[in-house]
Amino acid sequence: AKTLGRNTLCFFDPAMQATVNANAALGADMRIALKEKQFVVYYQPQVDRQGVITGVEALVRWQHPQRGLITPIHFIPVAEDNGMILPLGQWVLETACEQLAAWADWPQTTNLSIAVNVSVHQFRHPDFVDMVMAAIGRTGIKPQRLKLELTESLLADRMEITIEKMGMLKDLGVTLSLDDFGVGYSSLSVLKRLPLDQLKIDKGFVADVLTDPNDAAISRAIITLAQSLSLQVVAEGVETHEQREFLAYQGCDQFQGHLFSPPLPIATLDAFLRNPSSG
Ligand code: C2E
Ligand code: CA
Ligand code: CA
Ligand code: CA
């Protein structure tokens, strides 16, 4: 009776019911949104130790006709629940490959990479490797310029299949990055077996790297670990010169964050890349 009471209470909690309704509405809108091209990819620059842009991360937004620009934290979890992450993720991947193809024509952008976030659902889909291969083939891009950002939650189970699939992606020539590193499950022994190119330090650690000795120690450990496994390491969420300096001193290879640039619409990014001094 107690359990039932709690469930009943939950069900009639007006705030929670409002969230459920809002998510259901967003979920229903999503199908239409994809068809009507309401999703937009923004691109956030990543820079090397010299401050040179080496690539960008593709970050999706939803230009909703009534609600305005919606950030992914509000709709990616909904899309993961209702399965829309598959067509949405596929669309982001295709868009990124088309952008890489467009950039191949300019000397300033021909070597830039684009990192695409891949949700666990997408990665687990039996056709995922084929879809990546098809996107590369259709656009004719150099596969190493496409970087797939995978998360540690992939490593929670079905490890053998995951490692095999990562190997197939590596065979296509794409670059593999482990996103939000440090927040999840990876152990040293697992990490050693993965065909990775890069680790990304989550912005949660970067935020307090100068004030929280634990976060400083974790960041240092991740960088040391990456170096010992010959992986590149990228810090996300870098907002201050002091954070950049600390991380660079520890040996971090690349940086991404508001210190350099927020995620930008493609027109703004293109204008900047063509004429950096104007930015
Ligand atoms: P993420 O992959 O960890 O991406 C980094 C997030 O940090 C982005 O949030 C970015 O805008 C934000 N960020 C970058 N620099 C700074 C900074 O200096 N300070 C702070 N406070 N934040 C910074 P965003 O764009 O809101 O994306 C949130 C999350 O949504 C992403 O986290 C990613 O997990 C997910 N996401 C975005 N696009 C996609 C997508 O196409 N597919 C999938 N599956 N997930 C996506
Ligand atoms: Ca990411
Ligand atoms: Ca993150
Ligand atoms: Ca902290």
Side-chain angles (χ1 to χ4, degrees):
K2 216 172 181 183
T3 315
L4 183 68
R6 204 161 56 211
N7 284 344
T8 309
L9 190 66
C10 251
F11 187 75
F12 289 109
D13 178 330
M16 192 173 283
Q17 192 58 45
T19 308
V20 169
N21 291 344
N23 283 353
L26 267 189
D29 285 0
M30 227 175 259
R31 226 165 287 276
I32 301 160
L34 202 54
K35 222 180 280 164
E36 301 196 337
K37 303 192 189 330
Q38 292 171 10
F39 291 103
V40 204
V41 178
Y42 276 44
Y43 297 93
Q44 185 175 36
Q46 300 177 323
V47 306
D48 68 12
R49 293 170 67 91
Q50 277 71 49
V52 176
I53 298 178
T54 57
V56 296
E57 178 177 3
L59 294 158
V60 68
R61 273 95 182 90
W62 183 352
Q63 188 63 63
H64 194 284
Q66 281 87 43
R67 301 179 205 204
L69 198 67
I70 310 180
T71 66
I73 48 160
H74 290 110
F75 63 86
I76 290 285
V78 180
E80 279 173 348
D81 282 348
N82 70 12
M84 282 301 287
I85 194 68
L86 291 174
L88 178 59
Q90 178 65 14
W91 176 79
V92 173
L93 178 73
E94 302 267 347
T95 304
C97 289
E98 281 159 22
Q99 189 54 52
L100 283 170
W103 279 347
D105 296 340
W106 303 355
Q108 306 97 301
T109 50
T110 192
N111 291 316
L112 293 182
S113 64
I114 299 185
V116 173
N117 292 283
V118 176
S119 88
V120 174
H121 287 66
Q122 243 182 310
F123 183 91
R124 296 261 196 246
H125 192 281
D127 293 339
F128 181 63
V129 176
D130 285 344
M131 292 194 285
V132 173
M133 184 164 67
I136 293 168
R138 195 158 42 240
T139 50
I141 59 162
K142 288 201 194 104
Q144 64 271 22
R145 294 173 61 215
L146 177 65
K147 195 181 287 177
L148 301 179
E149 292 197 359
L150 312 175
T151 61
E152 277 180 290
S153 44
L154 265 184
L155 309 174
D157 60 358
R158 289 183 267 175
M159 186 76 71
E160 297 308 321
I161 297 174
T162 300
I163 294 175
E164 193 189 331
K165 214 163 191 179
M166 287 174 74
M168 290 161 79
L169 290 165
K170 275 313 298 171
D171 288 344
L172 293 180
V174 302
T175 302
L176 296 182
S177 179
L178 195 57
D179 203 3
D180 297 341
F181 186 73
V183 291
Y185 318 74
S186 347
S187 69
L188 247 173
S189 58
V190 164
L191 210 55
K192 228 174 49 186
R193 299 183 51 210
L194 304 178
L196 287 169
D197 301 287
Q198 183 181 82
L199 294 183
K200 275 188 100 168
I201 307 176
D202 186 58
K203 63 175 182 288
F205 299 117
V206 173
D208 298 330
V209 87
L210 298 168
T211 51
D212 183 337
N214 291 326
D215 290 349
I218 290 168
S219 300
R220 202 169 355 190
I222 294 174
I223 293 167
T224 307
L225 181 63
Q227 288 172 337
S228 65
L229 295 170
S230 302
L231 302 176
Q232 256 197 348
V233 56
V234 185
E236 72 173 21
V238 179
E239 294 183 350
T240 68
H241 287 287
E242 290 76 14
Q243 290 168 344
R244 195 212 80 94
E245 252 157 58
F246 176 87
L247 293 160
Y249 179 76
Q250 303 298 335
C252 188
D253 302 299
Q254 288 183 29
F255 310 89
Q256 178 183 345
H258 294 163
L259 176 62
F260 309 99
S261 171
L264 300 170
I266 189 60
T268 313
L269 178 66
D270 265 349
F272 176 76
L273 292 171
R274 273 186 233 226
N275 185 9
S277 57
S278 71

